[in-house]
Short mmCIF file of all heavy atoms in Angstrom, two decimals:
data_model
loop_
_atom_site.label_atom_id
_atom_site.label_comp_id
_atom_site.label_asym_id
_atom_site.label_seq_id
_atom_site.Cartn_x
_atom_site.Cartn_y
_atom_site.Cartn_z
N MET A 1 -1.66 -1.79 -22.68
CA MET A 1 -1.48 -2.20 -21.32
C MET A 1 -2.86 -1.93 -20.56
O MET A 1 -3.46 -0.95 -20.69
CB MET A 1 -0.52 -1.25 -20.58
CG MET A 1 -0.26 -1.57 -19.11
SD MET A 1 1.25 -0.63 -18.59
CE MET A 1 1.01 -0.62 -16.93
N LYS A 2 -3.20 -2.96 -19.76
CA LYS A 2 -4.54 -2.94 -19.13
C LYS A 2 -4.43 -2.08 -17.98
O LYS A 2 -3.60 -2.10 -17.11
CB LYS A 2 -5.04 -4.37 -18.75
CG LYS A 2 -6.38 -4.51 -18.29
CD LYS A 2 -6.59 -5.94 -17.66
CE LYS A 2 -7.46 -5.83 -16.41
NZ LYS A 2 -7.06 -6.52 -15.34
N MET A 3 -5.52 -1.24 -17.82
CA MET A 3 -5.59 -0.20 -16.67
C MET A 3 -6.30 -0.97 -15.50
O MET A 3 -7.33 -1.62 -15.76
CB MET A 3 -6.36 1.04 -17.11
CG MET A 3 -5.43 2.06 -17.60
SD MET A 3 -4.31 2.73 -16.35
CE MET A 3 -5.49 3.44 -15.07
N MET A 4 -5.72 -0.88 -14.44
CA MET A 4 -6.34 -1.39 -13.31
C MET A 4 -7.42 -0.38 -12.67
O MET A 4 -7.31 0.76 -12.99
CB MET A 4 -5.55 -1.77 -12.06
CG MET A 4 -4.73 -0.55 -11.47
SD MET A 4 -3.91 -1.04 -9.99
CE MET A 4 -2.87 -2.30 -10.56
N ASN A 5 -8.49 -0.95 -12.14
CA ASN A 5 -9.44 -0.02 -11.70
C ASN A 5 -9.18 0.24 -10.08
O ASN A 5 -8.24 -0.26 -9.60
CB ASN A 5 -10.89 -0.54 -11.75
CG ASN A 5 -11.17 -1.87 -11.02
OD1 ASN A 5 -10.53 -2.11 -10.03
ND2 ASN A 5 -11.87 -2.82 -11.72
N CYS A 6 -9.97 1.14 -9.53
CA CYS A 6 -9.71 1.59 -8.14
C CYS A 6 -9.82 0.45 -7.10
O CYS A 6 -9.01 0.43 -6.13
CB CYS A 6 -10.65 2.67 -7.72
SG CYS A 6 -10.43 4.20 -8.69
N ARG A 7 -10.62 -0.53 -7.30
CA ARG A 7 -10.78 -1.61 -6.49
C ARG A 7 -9.47 -2.54 -6.54
O ARG A 7 -9.00 -2.90 -5.47
CB ARG A 7 -11.96 -2.47 -6.85
CG ARG A 7 -12.75 -2.95 -5.73
CD ARG A 7 -13.95 -3.63 -6.19
NE ARG A 7 -13.79 -5.13 -5.96
CZ ARG A 7 -14.41 -6.09 -6.51
NH1 ARG A 7 -15.36 -5.77 -7.32
NH2 ARG A 7 -14.19 -7.40 -6.11
N ASP A 8 -8.97 -2.77 -7.76
CA ASP A 8 -7.75 -3.51 -7.87
C ASP A 8 -6.58 -2.78 -7.15
O ASP A 8 -5.68 -3.23 -6.48
CB ASP A 8 -7.31 -3.68 -9.22
CG ASP A 8 -8.35 -4.59 -10.01
OD1 ASP A 8 -8.94 -5.36 -9.32
OD2 ASP A 8 -8.39 -4.50 -11.24
N ALA A 9 -6.52 -1.32 -7.45
CA ALA A 9 -5.38 -0.60 -6.80
C ALA A 9 -5.53 -0.73 -5.28
O ALA A 9 -4.51 -0.91 -4.61
CB ALA A 9 -5.70 0.74 -7.31
N ALA A 10 -6.78 -0.57 -4.73
CA ALA A 10 -6.84 -0.63 -3.26
C ALA A 10 -6.43 -1.94 -2.71
O ALA A 10 -5.76 -2.05 -1.71
CB ALA A 10 -8.33 -0.36 -2.88
N GLN A 11 -6.79 -2.96 -3.44
CA GLN A 11 -6.46 -4.39 -3.11
C GLN A 11 -4.80 -4.44 -3.00
O GLN A 11 -4.34 -4.93 -2.07
CB GLN A 11 -7.01 -5.32 -4.04
CG GLN A 11 -6.63 -6.74 -3.94
CD GLN A 11 -7.45 -7.65 -3.05
OE1 GLN A 11 -8.54 -7.25 -2.87
NE2 GLN A 11 -6.92 -8.74 -2.64
N LEU A 12 -4.29 -4.08 -4.14
CA LEU A 12 -2.75 -4.19 -4.23
C LEU A 12 -2.15 -3.37 -3.08
O LEU A 12 -1.06 -3.73 -2.52
CB LEU A 12 -2.35 -3.75 -5.56
CG LEU A 12 -2.40 -4.74 -6.67
CD1 LEU A 12 -1.74 -4.09 -7.95
CD2 LEU A 12 -1.68 -6.01 -6.34
N MET A 13 -2.62 -2.17 -2.76
CA MET A 13 -2.11 -1.35 -1.82
C MET A 13 -2.07 -1.92 -0.49
O MET A 13 -1.09 -1.67 0.36
CB MET A 13 -2.74 0.06 -1.75
CG MET A 13 -2.32 0.90 -2.89
SD MET A 13 -2.81 2.62 -2.73
CE MET A 13 -4.52 2.38 -3.30
N SER A 14 -3.08 -2.72 -0.11
CA SER A 14 -3.15 -3.41 1.14
C SER A 14 -2.24 -4.67 1.17
O SER A 14 -1.60 -4.94 2.08
CB SER A 14 -4.42 -3.64 1.75
OG SER A 14 -5.26 -4.32 0.79
N GLU A 15 -2.17 -5.33 -0.13
CA GLU A 15 -1.50 -6.60 -0.19
C GLU A 15 0.05 -6.30 -0.08
O GLU A 15 0.87 -7.14 0.24
CB GLU A 15 -1.79 -7.29 -1.39
CG GLU A 15 -3.00 -8.17 -1.37
CD GLU A 15 -3.37 -8.98 -2.56
OE1 GLU A 15 -2.38 -9.05 -3.40
OE2 GLU A 15 -4.33 -9.41 -2.73
N ARG A 16 0.49 -5.06 -0.51
CA ARG A 16 1.91 -4.84 -0.60
C ARG A 16 2.54 -4.89 0.75
O ARG A 16 3.85 -4.92 0.84
CB ARG A 16 2.19 -3.50 -1.32
CG ARG A 16 1.88 -2.35 -0.56
CD ARG A 16 2.26 -1.15 -1.30
NE ARG A 16 1.63 0.05 -0.60
CZ ARG A 16 1.76 1.35 -1.15
NH1 ARG A 16 2.26 1.63 -2.25
NH2 ARG A 16 1.20 2.33 -0.41
N TYR A 17 1.80 -4.76 1.80
CA TYR A 17 2.40 -4.86 3.08
C TYR A 17 2.53 -6.34 3.59
O TYR A 17 3.19 -6.51 4.61
CB TYR A 17 1.53 -4.09 4.16
CG TYR A 17 1.40 -2.67 3.84
CD1 TYR A 17 0.17 -2.04 3.59
CD2 TYR A 17 2.49 -1.82 3.89
CE1 TYR A 17 0.07 -0.80 3.26
CE2 TYR A 17 2.38 -0.53 3.53
CZ TYR A 17 1.19 0.07 3.22
OH TYR A 17 1.03 1.30 2.91
N GLU A 18 1.81 -7.13 2.88
CA GLU A 18 1.87 -8.55 3.38
C GLU A 18 2.81 -9.44 2.42
O GLU A 18 3.25 -10.47 2.75
CB GLU A 18 0.51 -9.18 3.43
CG GLU A 18 -0.26 -8.67 4.64
CD GLU A 18 -1.70 -8.43 4.31
OE1 GLU A 18 -2.26 -9.12 3.52
OE2 GLU A 18 -2.20 -7.43 4.89
N ARG A 19 2.90 -9.01 1.15
CA ARG A 19 3.69 -9.78 0.25
C ARG A 19 4.37 -8.74 -0.63
O ARG A 19 4.10 -7.69 -0.84
CB ARG A 19 2.75 -10.77 -0.62
CG ARG A 19 1.76 -10.08 -1.47
CD ARG A 19 1.04 -11.03 -2.29
NE ARG A 19 -0.04 -10.44 -3.14
CZ ARG A 19 0.24 -10.06 -4.41
NH1 ARG A 19 1.38 -10.29 -4.94
NH2 ARG A 19 -0.65 -9.50 -5.09
N THR A 20 5.39 -9.33 -1.44
CA THR A 20 6.10 -8.47 -2.38
C THR A 20 5.29 -8.60 -3.70
O THR A 20 5.06 -9.59 -4.26
CB THR A 20 7.51 -9.07 -2.54
OG1 THR A 20 8.16 -9.28 -1.31
CG2 THR A 20 8.32 -8.12 -3.33
N LEU A 21 4.90 -7.33 -4.16
CA LEU A 21 4.33 -7.24 -5.48
C LEU A 21 5.21 -7.51 -6.59
O LEU A 21 6.39 -7.23 -6.48
CB LEU A 21 3.58 -5.90 -5.54
CG LEU A 21 2.67 -5.44 -4.47
CD1 LEU A 21 2.03 -4.14 -4.94
CD2 LEU A 21 1.59 -6.53 -4.23
N SER A 22 4.68 -8.13 -7.64
CA SER A 22 5.56 -8.21 -8.87
C SER A 22 5.80 -6.89 -9.39
O SER A 22 5.13 -5.86 -9.16
CB SER A 22 4.81 -9.23 -9.85
OG SER A 22 3.76 -8.42 -10.47
N LEU A 23 6.84 -6.85 -10.17
CA LEU A 23 7.18 -5.66 -10.95
C LEU A 23 6.04 -5.10 -11.68
O LEU A 23 5.72 -3.85 -11.73
CB LEU A 23 8.38 -5.91 -11.87
CG LEU A 23 8.93 -4.60 -12.42
CD1 LEU A 23 9.61 -3.81 -11.39
CD2 LEU A 23 10.07 -5.07 -13.44
N ARG A 24 5.35 -5.94 -12.42
CA ARG A 24 4.15 -5.63 -13.11
C ARG A 24 3.06 -5.03 -12.31
O ARG A 24 2.39 -3.96 -12.56
CB ARG A 24 3.59 -6.86 -13.90
CG ARG A 24 2.84 -6.53 -15.01
CD ARG A 24 2.14 -7.89 -15.42
NE ARG A 24 1.38 -7.63 -16.64
CZ ARG A 24 1.79 -7.86 -17.81
NH1 ARG A 24 2.97 -8.42 -18.01
NH2 ARG A 24 1.06 -7.61 -18.87
N GLU A 25 2.84 -5.60 -11.14
CA GLU A 25 1.72 -5.05 -10.23
C GLU A 25 2.21 -3.69 -9.69
O GLU A 25 1.38 -2.79 -9.60
CB GLU A 25 1.59 -6.06 -9.08
CG GLU A 25 0.89 -7.28 -9.53
CD GLU A 25 0.78 -8.29 -8.25
OE1 GLU A 25 1.93 -8.40 -7.58
OE2 GLU A 25 -0.18 -9.00 -8.13
N ARG A 26 3.44 -3.55 -9.39
CA ARG A 26 3.90 -2.27 -8.79
C ARG A 26 3.82 -1.16 -9.90
O ARG A 26 3.34 -0.05 -9.49
CB ARG A 26 5.33 -2.29 -8.37
CG ARG A 26 5.48 -2.89 -6.92
CD ARG A 26 6.85 -2.95 -6.38
NE ARG A 26 7.56 -4.05 -7.09
CZ ARG A 26 8.90 -4.05 -7.15
NH1 ARG A 26 9.65 -3.21 -6.71
NH2 ARG A 26 9.46 -5.12 -7.67
N LEU A 27 4.10 -1.60 -11.08
CA LEU A 27 4.12 -0.65 -12.22
C LEU A 27 2.66 -0.21 -12.57
O LEU A 27 2.41 1.08 -12.51
CB LEU A 27 4.69 -1.24 -13.41
CG LEU A 27 5.17 -0.28 -14.52
CD1 LEU A 27 6.48 0.37 -13.84
CD2 LEU A 27 5.66 -1.06 -15.67
N SER A 28 1.73 -1.04 -12.52
CA SER A 28 0.32 -0.71 -12.82
C SER A 28 -0.25 0.11 -11.69
O SER A 28 -0.92 1.06 -11.84
CB SER A 28 -0.55 -1.92 -13.07
OG SER A 28 0.16 -3.09 -13.19
N LEU A 29 0.22 -0.18 -10.42
CA LEU A 29 -0.30 0.49 -9.25
C LEU A 29 0.22 2.00 -9.38
O LEU A 29 -0.53 2.87 -9.15
CB LEU A 29 0.13 -0.18 -8.01
CG LEU A 29 -0.42 0.41 -6.74
CD1 LEU A 29 -1.81 0.39 -6.63
CD2 LEU A 29 0.34 -0.35 -5.62
N ARG A 30 1.48 2.17 -9.75
CA ARG A 30 2.02 3.47 -9.83
C ARG A 30 1.40 4.30 -10.95
O ARG A 30 1.14 5.45 -10.63
CB ARG A 30 3.58 3.14 -10.29
CG ARG A 30 4.38 4.33 -9.65
CD ARG A 30 5.81 3.88 -9.87
NE ARG A 30 6.66 5.09 -9.91
CZ ARG A 30 7.75 5.13 -9.60
NH1 ARG A 30 8.44 4.06 -9.12
NH2 ARG A 30 8.48 6.25 -9.71
N VAL A 31 1.16 3.69 -12.10
CA VAL A 31 0.40 4.29 -13.18
C VAL A 31 -0.93 4.74 -12.63
O VAL A 31 -1.34 5.96 -12.89
CB VAL A 31 0.37 3.45 -14.35
CG1 VAL A 31 -0.58 4.10 -15.42
CG2 VAL A 31 1.71 3.10 -15.03
N HIS A 32 -1.57 3.86 -11.88
CA HIS A 32 -2.88 4.25 -11.57
C HIS A 32 -2.94 5.33 -10.53
O HIS A 32 -3.74 6.30 -10.63
CB HIS A 32 -3.63 3.01 -10.84
CG HIS A 32 -5.12 3.28 -10.51
ND1 HIS A 32 -6.16 2.95 -11.33
CD2 HIS A 32 -5.48 3.87 -9.44
CE1 HIS A 32 -7.21 3.43 -10.72
NE2 HIS A 32 -6.96 3.83 -9.55
N THR A 33 -2.10 5.33 -9.54
CA THR A 33 -2.04 6.35 -8.47
C THR A 33 -1.60 7.70 -9.01
O THR A 33 -1.99 8.70 -8.48
CB THR A 33 -1.22 5.94 -7.34
OG1 THR A 33 0.07 5.51 -7.80
CG2 THR A 33 -1.83 4.85 -6.48
N ALA A 34 -0.85 7.67 -10.09
CA ALA A 34 -0.30 8.86 -10.75
C ALA A 34 -1.49 9.63 -11.24
O ALA A 34 -1.57 10.79 -11.39
CB ALA A 34 0.68 8.56 -11.78
N MET A 35 -2.55 8.74 -11.74
CA MET A 35 -3.71 9.44 -12.43
C MET A 35 -4.88 9.58 -11.58
O MET A 35 -5.86 10.12 -11.98
CB MET A 35 -4.02 8.66 -13.73
CG MET A 35 -2.79 8.57 -14.74
SD MET A 35 -3.32 7.89 -16.24
CE MET A 35 -4.31 6.50 -15.75
N CYS A 36 -4.87 8.95 -10.50
CA CYS A 36 -6.07 8.88 -9.65
C CYS A 36 -5.92 9.52 -8.23
O CYS A 36 -5.08 8.84 -7.41
CB CYS A 36 -6.53 7.34 -9.54
SG CYS A 36 -8.05 7.19 -8.45
N ASP A 37 -6.37 10.61 -7.99
CA ASP A 37 -6.14 11.27 -6.72
C ASP A 37 -6.62 10.51 -5.53
O ASP A 37 -6.11 10.42 -4.54
CB ASP A 37 -6.83 12.69 -6.72
CG ASP A 37 -5.88 13.65 -7.42
OD1 ASP A 37 -4.83 13.42 -7.75
OD2 ASP A 37 -6.50 14.85 -7.65
N GLY A 38 -7.82 9.82 -5.84
CA GLY A 38 -8.37 9.07 -4.71
C GLY A 38 -7.53 7.97 -4.20
O GLY A 38 -7.17 7.85 -2.99
N CYS A 39 -6.90 7.24 -5.17
CA CYS A 39 -6.10 6.08 -4.73
C CYS A 39 -4.85 6.59 -4.30
O CYS A 39 -4.11 5.96 -3.38
CB CYS A 39 -5.92 5.17 -5.94
SG CYS A 39 -7.38 4.32 -6.19
N SER A 40 -4.37 7.70 -4.77
CA SER A 40 -3.01 8.30 -4.37
C SER A 40 -3.15 8.65 -2.89
O SER A 40 -2.27 8.37 -2.03
CB SER A 40 -2.68 9.50 -5.23
OG SER A 40 -1.80 10.23 -4.68
N ASN A 41 -4.35 9.29 -2.63
CA ASN A 41 -4.50 9.69 -1.17
C ASN A 41 -4.65 8.48 -0.25
O ASN A 41 -4.15 8.47 0.90
CB ASN A 41 -5.79 10.55 -1.02
CG ASN A 41 -5.45 11.93 -1.56
OD1 ASN A 41 -4.34 12.49 -1.46
ND2 ASN A 41 -6.47 12.66 -2.05
N TYR A 42 -5.46 7.50 -0.78
CA TYR A 42 -5.59 6.24 0.05
C TYR A 42 -4.29 5.59 0.35
O TYR A 42 -4.07 5.09 1.45
CB TYR A 42 -6.53 5.34 -0.82
CG TYR A 42 -6.77 4.02 -0.17
CD1 TYR A 42 -7.61 3.96 1.03
CD2 TYR A 42 -6.42 2.86 -0.67
CE1 TYR A 42 -7.84 2.83 1.65
CE2 TYR A 42 -6.73 1.73 -0.07
CZ TYR A 42 -7.42 1.64 1.07
OH TYR A 42 -7.70 0.44 1.73
N GLY A 43 -3.33 5.58 -0.64
CA GLY A 43 -2.01 5.03 -0.47
C GLY A 43 -1.26 5.70 0.65
O GLY A 43 -0.73 5.09 1.54
N LYS A 44 -1.34 7.04 0.64
CA LYS A 44 -0.66 7.84 1.65
C LYS A 44 -1.28 7.57 2.98
O LYS A 44 -0.55 7.40 3.99
CB LYS A 44 -0.78 9.33 1.33
CG LYS A 44 0.28 9.69 0.22
CD LYS A 44 -0.03 11.13 -0.06
CE LYS A 44 0.53 11.57 -1.45
NZ LYS A 44 -0.22 12.63 -2.15
N HIS A 45 -2.69 7.43 3.07
CA HIS A 45 -3.33 7.21 4.34
C HIS A 45 -2.86 5.82 4.86
O HIS A 45 -2.62 5.69 6.11
CB HIS A 45 -4.80 7.28 3.96
CG HIS A 45 -5.71 6.91 5.14
ND1 HIS A 45 -5.87 7.78 6.13
CD2 HIS A 45 -6.40 5.88 5.52
CE1 HIS A 45 -6.63 7.34 7.05
NE2 HIS A 45 -6.96 6.16 6.58
N LEU A 46 -2.79 4.90 3.99
CA LEU A 46 -2.44 3.51 4.46
C LEU A 46 -0.98 3.51 4.95
O LEU A 46 -0.71 2.83 5.98
CB LEU A 46 -2.40 2.57 3.30
CG LEU A 46 -3.73 1.83 2.96
CD1 LEU A 46 -3.48 0.89 1.81
CD2 LEU A 46 -4.38 1.25 4.23
N ASP A 47 -0.09 4.25 4.39
CA ASP A 47 1.30 4.32 4.84
C ASP A 47 1.36 4.94 6.28
O ASP A 47 2.04 4.45 7.10
CB ASP A 47 2.11 5.26 3.93
CG ASP A 47 2.83 4.48 2.89
OD1 ASP A 47 2.84 3.19 2.88
OD2 ASP A 47 3.34 5.16 1.92
N VAL A 48 0.64 5.97 6.52
CA VAL A 48 0.55 6.69 7.70
C VAL A 48 0.08 5.69 8.82
O VAL A 48 0.66 5.50 9.84
CB VAL A 48 -0.21 7.88 7.72
CG1 VAL A 48 -0.53 8.52 9.12
CG2 VAL A 48 0.35 9.02 6.77
N LEU A 49 -1.04 5.10 8.45
CA LEU A 49 -1.68 4.14 9.35
C LEU A 49 -0.71 2.98 9.70
O LEU A 49 -0.57 2.61 10.83
CB LEU A 49 -2.83 3.50 8.66
CG LEU A 49 -4.36 3.96 8.98
CD1 LEU A 49 -5.33 3.18 8.39
CD2 LEU A 49 -4.55 3.87 10.54
N ARG A 50 -0.01 2.56 8.81
CA ARG A 50 0.88 1.37 8.93
C ARG A 50 1.98 1.76 9.76
O ARG A 50 2.46 0.96 10.76
CB ARG A 50 1.38 0.94 7.56
CG ARG A 50 2.31 -0.36 7.82
CD ARG A 50 2.69 -0.96 6.39
NE ARG A 50 3.56 -2.07 6.62
CZ ARG A 50 4.87 -1.90 6.65
NH1 ARG A 50 5.52 -0.89 6.40
NH2 ARG A 50 5.50 -3.03 6.83
N GLN A 51 2.57 2.98 9.65
CA GLN A 51 3.64 3.42 10.52
C GLN A 51 3.19 3.58 11.89
O GLN A 51 3.90 3.22 12.78
CB GLN A 51 4.20 4.81 9.92
CG GLN A 51 5.17 4.49 8.78
CD GLN A 51 5.36 5.87 8.02
OE1 GLN A 51 5.26 7.00 8.60
NE2 GLN A 51 5.75 5.68 6.70
N ALA A 52 1.98 4.07 12.15
CA ALA A 52 1.39 4.30 13.39
C ALA A 52 1.29 2.92 14.00
O ALA A 52 1.59 2.77 15.26
CB ALA A 52 0.17 5.01 13.36
N THR A 53 0.82 1.89 13.30
CA THR A 53 0.57 0.63 13.80
C THR A 53 1.97 -0.01 14.22
O THR A 53 2.14 -0.70 15.25
CB THR A 53 -0.15 -0.29 12.84
OG1 THR A 53 -1.26 0.50 12.31
CG2 THR A 53 -0.69 -1.53 13.50
N ALA A 54 2.91 0.13 13.38
CA ALA A 54 4.29 -0.41 13.64
C ALA A 54 4.80 0.16 14.83
O ALA A 54 5.47 -0.53 15.71
CB ALA A 54 5.10 -0.25 12.35
N ARG A 55 4.61 1.46 15.06
CA ARG A 55 5.16 2.18 16.20
C ARG A 55 4.54 1.58 17.46
O ARG A 55 5.23 1.31 18.48
CB ARG A 55 4.98 3.60 16.06
CG ARG A 55 6.07 4.36 16.78
CD ARG A 55 5.99 5.91 16.23
NE ARG A 55 6.38 5.88 14.80
CZ ARG A 55 5.99 6.96 14.03
NH1 ARG A 55 5.23 7.90 14.61
NH2 ARG A 55 6.33 7.00 12.66
N LEU A 56 3.20 1.40 17.39
CA LEU A 56 2.44 0.85 18.59
C LEU A 56 2.91 -0.51 18.89
O LEU A 56 3.14 -0.80 20.08
CB LEU A 56 0.96 0.89 18.21
CG LEU A 56 0.08 2.07 18.58
CD1 LEU A 56 -1.30 1.68 18.25
CD2 LEU A 56 0.12 2.32 20.14
N ARG A 57 3.15 -1.26 17.87
CA ARG A 57 3.51 -2.62 18.09
C ARG A 57 4.94 -2.80 18.73
O ARG A 57 5.20 -3.49 19.66
CB ARG A 57 3.50 -3.40 16.77
CG ARG A 57 3.18 -4.87 16.99
CD ARG A 57 3.04 -5.54 15.58
NE ARG A 57 1.90 -5.14 14.94
CZ ARG A 57 1.72 -5.09 13.62
NH1 ARG A 57 2.63 -5.53 12.75
NH2 ARG A 57 0.51 -4.73 13.06
N GLU A 58 5.78 -1.86 18.27
CA GLU A 58 7.13 -1.82 18.82
C GLU A 58 7.05 -1.51 20.26
O GLU A 58 7.80 -2.01 21.14
CB GLU A 58 7.98 -0.75 18.08
CG GLU A 58 8.73 -1.28 16.87
CD GLU A 58 9.30 -0.18 16.04
OE1 GLU A 58 9.65 0.87 16.62
OE2 GLU A 58 9.33 -0.34 14.85
N GLY A 59 6.27 -0.53 20.64
CA GLY A 59 6.25 -0.02 22.02
C GLY A 59 5.66 -1.26 22.89
O GLY A 59 6.01 -1.26 24.07
N LYS A 60 4.83 -2.07 22.29
CA LYS A 60 4.25 -3.01 23.18
C LYS A 60 5.16 -4.33 23.41
O LYS A 60 5.34 -4.78 24.42
CB LYS A 60 3.00 -3.58 22.54
CG LYS A 60 1.74 -2.78 23.01
CD LYS A 60 0.45 -3.25 22.37
CE LYS A 60 -0.68 -2.34 22.59
NZ LYS A 60 -1.85 -2.61 21.88
N THR A 61 5.88 -4.65 22.34
CA THR A 61 6.66 -5.86 22.40
C THR A 61 8.25 -5.70 22.65
O THR A 61 8.79 -6.44 23.26
CB THR A 61 6.53 -6.80 21.11
OG1 THR A 61 6.90 -5.87 19.97
CG2 THR A 61 5.16 -7.19 20.87
N GLY A 62 8.62 -4.49 22.16
CA GLY A 62 10.15 -4.25 22.30
C GLY A 62 10.43 -3.51 23.61
O GLY A 62 10.92 -2.42 23.57
N GLY A 63 10.16 -4.17 24.82
CA GLY A 63 10.24 -3.48 25.90
C GLY A 63 11.45 -3.67 26.70
O GLY A 63 11.62 -3.64 27.97
N ASP A 64 12.68 -3.87 26.03
CA ASP A 64 13.95 -4.10 26.69
C ASP A 64 14.92 -2.97 26.60
O ASP A 64 16.12 -3.21 26.45
CB ASP A 64 14.54 -5.39 26.30
CG ASP A 64 14.81 -5.43 24.73
OD1 ASP A 64 14.43 -4.48 24.14
OD2 ASP A 64 15.29 -6.55 24.29
N HIS A 65 14.49 -1.73 26.66
CA HIS A 65 15.40 -0.71 26.72
C HIS A 65 15.22 0.20 27.86
O HIS A 65 14.27 0.05 28.71
CB HIS A 65 15.41 0.09 25.44
CG HIS A 65 14.06 0.54 25.07
ND1 HIS A 65 13.30 -0.07 24.10
CD2 HIS A 65 13.23 1.62 25.41
CE1 HIS A 65 12.12 0.49 23.90
NE2 HIS A 65 12.10 1.55 24.76
ZN1 ZN B 101 -8.18 4.90 -8.32
#
């Protein structure tokens, strides 16, 4: 099985919010982050960022309550 490098991993991690990754992509990403602290932290960071952004966006557009 081909190992992805950190650049590929970072790319997939940002793409997964815009499209559905294939099973193979998700699997390689998982294998990579399990072994790479840098990418594992980057992934968590992206999640936090994305949640914060989603919350901001909700606050701005969903103003009917
Ligand atoms: Zn990495």
Side-chain angles (χ1 to χ4, degrees):
M1 186 169 155
K2 192 190 141 223
M3 270 293 296
M4 66 167 57
N5 59 34
C6 291
R7 224 179 104 197
D8 292 339
Q11 169 93 20
L12 280 185
M13 281 191 281
S14 52
E15 278 185 16
R16 74 178 166 184
Y17 298 117
E18 284 141 36
R19 65 176 178 94
T20 308
L21 301 184
S22 70
L23 189 63
R24 201 193 183 94
E25 286 171 326
R26 274 183 286 157
L27 204 68
S28 349
L29 186 57
R30 212 169 150 153
V31 170
H32 184 93
T33 50
M35 299 190 317
C36 177
D37 277 351
C39 288
S40 163
N41 285 332
Y42 180 65
K44 283 178 202 149
H45 179 73
L46 275 187
D47 266 350
V48 172
L49 260 184
R50 186 175 175 263
Q51 276 164 28
T53 314
R55 211 164 293 157
L56 267 179
R57 207 173 294 156
E58 271 169 33
K60 270 180 192 166
T61 57
D64 57 0
H65 49 263

